[in-house]
Amino acid sequence: MRIGVDATSWHNRRGYGRYTRALLTAALELDQRNRYTLFVDHESAEFPLPRDVEVCRVQTKVPTVKAAGADSRRSLSDMWAVASAVRRARVDLIYFPTDYSYVPFYMGVPRIVTIHDAIAELFPALVFPTLRSKMFYRAKMKSGIHQARLLITVSEFSRRHLVDKLKIPPTRLRVVSEAADPIFRPLEGNSTGAALSRWGIPADAPCLIYVGGFSPHKNLFLLLDVVRELVRRDPFRKLRLLLVGDYSGDSFFSCYNQLSERVRQDDLGNNVLFTGRLDDKDLIVLLHRSAALVLPSFCEGFGLPGVEAAACGTPVLATTQSPLSELLGEGVLGVDPADRAGWLHAIERILTDAALRDRMRAAALAAASRLSWRNSARQLLSVFDEVQLNAAAT
């Protein structure tokens, strides 16, 4: 079987870009039977394409990695160019690893689409900056759901939301989960001092870390409110909140400017640090240095930063509106995203209770070890086989 993959999201720096790269890399390593063609409209030395695989380069005016964002600037002509390339390639099926890059035009082959979560349906005002962008996305989603032979999502938690909110029949949904890259693991010895000096983090400062985008649904204003209250107390005056994520080149709806202004207004400049996007090796240093990763989002379809933190032995404080409590067990403390007092209490506990941190660290490591991209790739390959069998039967 010849499998086409829409790899226009390969170079995206957010979670669905990592999902595309890690999942397809593992699938290519495992699959000795099928041939693959990757359709791309942009290349970058930061994320090189895999070797020994056919690459079809599509000419678009604006690369999908920039255009398929919050305001849906992707043009009809660019989407038509991708669809035309798929038709000419004569693949047996085409897989879209994210609904953001989905192309709703005729291709003549069965399609598989990953819908990572239902956040856009649950919280549209926090995801889309304009009514036009919301309507365009919903039309594309409706088309993708209708046209796809099977749909994939990343967790049972997300699957339940998609069934409930988008009314997708459960029989059409398959789960292909996420995992931490093997580079995420506990650091040996105390090798973080030199790396930490570049961020000016005092050796005796307690740290919390957030990793992700700065979209409104990430609920970061609540986190700033909790930090503002904590640093007024003597035990936490040196507290550092490290906000890790791309705030300059992100194509999604961002409230970074409002967040940075809140930091200024609340005089938190010494306590809250926007690091920008980090390479994995630098991120691992900050995860190792932090008492916990905090993820207060209104909703997460998977919560990959939580699993990556767990793989490093870092305890996780996460929204209850995510699958992380199911995935990490005692390695996570779940808090309702609307419960400000609950977040304050949970952060106080994690900063002051060393025995709790040790228990959570051990549980987090054990839970993260049960997830791997190879297992996820096996789940994906089984979906490909299922679609092939169904296509042959019809």
Side-chain angles (χ1 to χ4, degrees):
M1 178 168 54
R2 189 177 176 195
I3 298 169
V5 178
D6 169 51
T8 57
S9 60
W10 189 274
H11 304 95
N12 178 269
R13 288 178 163 185
R14 290 188 62 149
Y16 72 78
R18 185 184 287 275
Y19 180 84
T20 301
R21 293 188 298 273
L23 180 60
L24 268 299
T25 298
L28 290 168
E29 291 174 354
L30 281 174
D31 193 351
Q32 302 299 314
R33 296 184 294 110
N34 301 308
R35 293 180 299 145
Y36 288 78
T37 299
L38 305 187
F39 296 88
V40 302
D41 63 352
H42 173 71
E43 293 186 57
S44 167
E46 182 178 15
F47 301 117
L49 294 167
R51 297 179 180 179
D52 302 323
V53 65
E54 182 179 7
V55 176
C56 179
R57 293 170 174 83
V58 184
Q59 290 295 117
T60 56
K61 294 179 181 179
V62 180
T64 304
V65 73
K66 293 183 179 180
D71 58 0
S72 297
R73 298 188 307 272
R74 200 175 185 197
S75 70
L76 294 177
S77 62
D78 282 351
M79 289 191 290
W80 181 257
V82 174
S84 299
V86 173
R87 287 196 303 273
R88 290 193 299 268
R90 298 183 181 278
V91 295
D92 296 303
L93 66 83
I94 180 71
Y95 170 50
F96 289 86
T98 170
D99 53 281
Y100 272 101
S101 66
Y102 179 68
V103 173
F105 292 142
Y106 173 76
M107 297 178 200
V109 295
R111 313 175 203 198
I112 303 169
V113 183
T114 293
I115 305 176
H116 287 251
D117 52 61
I119 295 171
E121 296 294 329
L122 292 166
F123 304 100
L126 304 182
V127 175
F128 301 107
T130 65
L131 177 62
R132 172 190 173 276
S133 60
K134 180 176 71 173
M135 298 304 293
F136 186 92
Y137 176 79
R138 284 185 170 173
K140 188 172 70 169
M141 277 286 290
K142 185 176 180 179
S143 175
I145 292 169
H146 174 72
Q147 294 173 341
R149 190 66 60 93
L150 283 179
L151 298 162
I152 290 172
T153 193
V154 295
S155 67
E156 289 293 340
F157 176 88
S158 182
R159 185 174 184 266
R160 292 191 293 270
H161 271 169
L162 291 172
V163 170
D164 179 61
K165 192 66 180 177
L166 277 76
K167 308 304 178 185
I168 300 172
T171 55
R172 298 193 62 224
L173 277 164
R174 304 291 180 269
V175 173
V176 175
S177 61
E178 303 185 23
D181 189 277
I183 194 174
F184 289 92
R185 60 185 186 273
L187 290 177
E188 297 181 0
N190 187 14
S191 58
T192 63
L196 289 171
S197 64
R198 81 184 69 170
W199 290 292
I201 300 173
D204 60 344
C207 291
L208 300 168
I209 186 170
Y210 162 84
V211 181
F214 294 94
S215 300
H217 77 273
K218 295 296 186 177
N219 199 24
L220 294 176
F221 288 104
L222 175 142
L223 197 54
L224 293 183
D225 286 345
V226 170
V227 168
R228 179 186 59 194
E229 180 165 341
L230 282 172
V231 298
R232 293 172 178 169
R233 306 177 188 178
D234 286 337
F236 306 115
R237 291 194 185 279
K238 293 184 179 181
L239 175 65
R240 296 297 191 271
L241 172 62
L242 313 174
L243 299 174
V244 180
D246 189 2
Y247 54 77
S248 59
D250 194 356
S251 61
F252 285 84
F253 191 16
S254 173
C255 57
Y256 165 74
N257 290 335
Q258 295 93 321
L259 288 165
S260 59
E261 177 61 19
R262 176 69 63 84
V263 169
R264 187 193 66 79
Q265 290 177 354
D266 291 346
D267 196 24
L268 293 173
N270 290 330
N271 301 100
V272 178
L273 173 64
F274 293 91
T275 70
R277 181 187 174 275
L278 300 179
D279 291 335
D280 287 345
K281 58 182 177 61
D282 291 328
L283 173 58
I284 291 166
V285 169
L286 294 187
L287 286 169
H288 186 265
R289 175 65 175 79
S290 300
L293 177 128
V294 286
L295 196 65
S297 314
F298 289 113
C299 186
E300 291 283 344
F302 188 83
L304 183 57
V307 173
E308 291 172 341
C312 293
T314 303
V316 177
L317 306 182
T319 172
T320 51
Q321 296 304 306
S322 79
L324 286 171
S325 293
E326 301 172 22
L327 292 168
L328 300 181
E330 293 184 357
V332 61
L333 289 179
V335 187
D336 188 285
D339 185 2
R340 181 184 181 280
W343 277 96
L344 181 63
H345 177 64
I347 289 175
E348 281 186 286
R349 285 187 66 198
I350 205 71
L351 291 175
T352 58
D353 191 337
L356 173 64
R357 292 197 301 273
D358 288 342
R359 291 195 302 273
M360 291 182 66
R361 182 176 296 113
L365 285 168
S369 70
R370 293 191 286 270
L371 299 168
S372 75
W373 284 114
R374 288 179 70 86
N375 286 339
S376 300
R378 291 187 185 97
Q379 295 169 340
L380 178 66
L381 296 180
S382 72
V383 178
F384 291 162
D385 289 342
E386 184 179 359
V387 169
Q388 183 190 29
L389 287 172
N390 290 342
T394 57

